[in-house]
Amino acid sequence: MPGMNYRVPTVLTAEELMDKAFHRASKISKTGSDALDTRKKTTLAKITAAGDIVETTLVTYIQRFPRMEKQDDFFPQLVNLVIGIDRYKKALGAVNWAAGRTELLKNGALREVRRTKDPHIIESIRSGFYGRLGSYINQIKDDLLFLQGARDKLRLLPAIDPQVPTVVIAGFPNVGKSSLVTYISTAAPEIAPYPFTTKGITIGHIEDDWRKYQIVDTPGLLDRTFEERNDIEKQAVLALRYLSDIMVFILDPTETCGYTLEKQEELLHSIQKGFEGIPIIVVESKADLLKRDNDTLHISAVTGEGMPQLKDDIIQRLRVIFRARAEKAAEAERLAHEAERAEAARNAADDGSEE
Ligand SMILES: Nc1nc2c(ncn2[C@@H]2O[C@H](COP(=O)(O)OP(=O)(O)OP(=O)(O)O)[C@@H](O)[C@H]2O)c(=O)[nH]1
Ligand SMILES: [Mg+2]
């Protein structure tokens, strides 16, 4: 998915990482000009191999796990909810520390081996190196386990792409949210097992020629006033705010959902406050059962009434967002090219002045 790379690698445990490094090293043997030289060359190669394996493995983790610097965005919010951003940063910091120490340790050991002519000292440098390498890895044992757990959780997230224009559906339980999502989605909506709702978030897609938008149903999340939510839910709602480009709020005037219209309107007001700045389309559902005499759009998942109009309204609005986003991306690309050209020109000028 664009912007975020969640194809993060499997993270080895401390024990697996040590096994990998020492096993590889144990298979190495080199031939030198004499017994001492053979021992030296072999030890140098073993230390290099073990150190490099540990270092490159750890550096790969640091490179492949996503950075979470920008807090006011959907993914950092979500990652914070799902795995805890502070613990996540601490784990990556610890891995980075161990990678750095491994390199220093390896270089130090290689220098010492090169300097000595005593086979016993060579052997003790090697075993000392192995011991300290093992101890560095052992010190980040919990961080490695944490990252592996984080990876498993991150893998569940990519079903939502924050780059894609998105409409979020809100309203009390049983008002017809899922029926609406199913009705105007082009394929069967997928359920993403996001950990903060019991039912999981449902993502459908709406096609607009070659453009594609997301329609997100959030059972159990936007069906209470903000004050009634617990901390986790509040954070989840915050994450949703960064994802929502527009919202559809469903009122069920038949009250067969089990909530009075008055209660439903209270929720609408709470959501209007919480999602300030995000356009909300209010519709009344179950028009086949009851149609109030007002200007609100009436929809029915049974007869299909109002659905084309609603879909069209959603598409018109999301298309505007799609275009704005595409223009912004093109502009960013143009600026990057310009900066590249300026840099190249500066370098050319520098070369010229040196001659
Ligand atoms: N008559 C009629 N019934 C509807 C309509 N839309 C939904 N229903 C019924 O209302 C009930 C709830 O519909 P859902 O789409 O599951 O409602 P929901 O808002 O997703 O409910 P939760 O997932 O529990 O929050 C179901 O029994 C639907 O068959 C409609 O347009 N007309
Ligand atoms: Mg539902």
Side-chain angles (χ1 to χ4, degrees):
M1 62 190 278
M4 277 290 170
N5 180 8
Y6 279 102
R7 269 163 300 150
V8 287
T10 314
V11 179
L12 299 176
T13 64
E15 207 175 0
E16 285 164 347
L17 179 55
M18 270 186 261
D19 282 353
K20 183 178 168 190
F22 296 150
H23 180 72
R24 191 82 54 85
S26 76
K27 290 199 297 196
I28 291 174
S29 72
K30 295 276 175 200
T31 325
S33 52
D34 54 36
L36 177 68
D37 191 43
T38 294
R39 174 162 293 221
K40 250 191 181 181
K41 286 209 166 96
T42 301
T43 304
L44 287 170
K46 281 179 193 288
I47 290 173
T48 302
D52 283 354
I53 285 166
V54 172
E55 203 188 328
T56 54
T57 303
L58 297 181
V59 167
T60 303
Y61 297 161
I62 295 159
Q63 287 168 344
R64 304 266 294 275
F65 273 87
R67 298 268 159 278
M68 292 297 162
E69 263 118 40
K70 198 166 163 252
Q71 297 289 320
D72 57 340
D73 221 334
F74 177 63
F75 270 106
Q77 286 288 335
L78 200 59
V79 167
N80 192 29
L81 260 176
V82 174
I83 60 182
I85 218 153
D86 289 341
R87 181 67 188 87
Y88 180 72
K89 283 186 170 170
K90 182 196 162 287
L92 285 181
V95 169
N96 194 33
W97 168 85
R101 294 312 292 246
T102 298
E103 191 185 8
L104 291 175
L105 182 68
K106 179 190 77 180
N107 290 339
L110 292 176
R111 252 195 320 274
E112 284 179 47
V113 170
R114 283 193 198 102
R115 267 203 297 254
T116 187
K117 291 195 161 60
D118 183 337
H120 296 295
I121 291 180
I122 291 174
E123 184 48 31
S124 85
I125 295 166
R126 190 195 58 82
S127 71
F129 169 78
Y130 279 17
R132 286 177 70 189
L133 183 60
S135 131
Y136 287 152
I137 296 172
N138 204 43
Q139 282 181 61
I140 60 163
K141 179 173 71 184
D142 293 343
D143 301 290
L144 293 173
L145 283 177
F146 173 83
L147 285 178
Q148 172 62 12
R151 170 192 183 266
D152 291 341
K153 291 173 184 160
L154 285 172
R155 273 156 52 94
L156 298 174
L157 303 183
I160 293 184
D161 185 344
Q163 305 291 322
V164 175
T166 301
V167 51
V168 169
I169 312 301
F172 268 118
N174 279 312
V175 295
K177 297 186 298 295
S178 303
S179 304
L180 168 67
V181 170
T182 305
Y183 200 97
I184 65 176
S185 291
T186 41
E190 281 172 65
I191 296 178
Y194 280 69
F196 44 76
T197 89
T198 47
K199 292 184 185 171
I201 282 183
T202 308
I203 302 116
H205 290 96
I206 302 173
E207 272 163 30
D208 171 24
D209 291 335
W210 48 276
R211 288 167 291 259
K212 213 175 193 183
Y213 313 124
Q214 289 170 142
I215 177 164
V216 177
D217 183 8
T218 56
L221 259 188
L222 298 179
D223 55 10
R224 256 156 301 155
T225 58
F226 202 71
E227 300 73 48
E228 289 173 279
R229 295 183 182 114
N230 65 34
D231 284 352
I232 295 272
E233 288 169 342
K234 280 182 178 162
Q235 285 185 61
V237 170
L238 205 60
L240 268 184
R241 268 185 35 180
Y242 294 114
L243 183 72
S244 314
D245 294 302
I246 61 172
M247 184 179 278
V248 171
F249 188 91
I250 304 181
L251 288 170
D252 173 4
T254 70
E255 300 184 345
T256 54
C257 62
Y259 302 88
T260 63
L261 253 179
E262 199 189 338
K263 276 269 161 226
Q264 296 183 58
E265 273 159 0
E266 257 173 46
L267 175 63
L268 173 58
H269 291 139
S270 162
I271 284 182
Q272 277 165 337
K273 253 194 266 161
F275 284 73
E276 220 190 319
I278 294 163
I280 301 182
I281 304 171
V282 180
V283 300
E284 292 188 8
S285 63
K286 309 184 186 174
D288 53 294
L289 298 180
L290 172 73
K291 231 159 113 177
R292 294 200 298 165
D293 186 16
N294 60 19
D295 291 339
T296 314
L297 179 65
H298 301 274
I299 60 165
S300 166
V302 173
T303 63
E305 177 182 348
M307 291 295 188
Q309 291 93 311
L310 178 58
K311 191 171 175 177
D312 198 54
D313 191 6
I314 292 170
I315 285 179
Q316 294 302 331
R317 293 173 192 241
L318 291 182
R319 198 183 287 165
V320 172
I321 286 156
F322 185 98
R323 290 200 176 122
R325 224 164 261 178
E327 262 165 40
K328 213 171 143 193
E331 175 67 5
E333 202 162 303
R334 199 184 61 75
L335 288 175
H337 273 296
E338 212 162 76
E340 243 169 61
R341 270 201 302 275
E343 169 83 18
R346 256 198 311 280
N347 288 342
D350 284 353
D351 287 353
S353 65
E354 274 164 26
E355 275 163 31

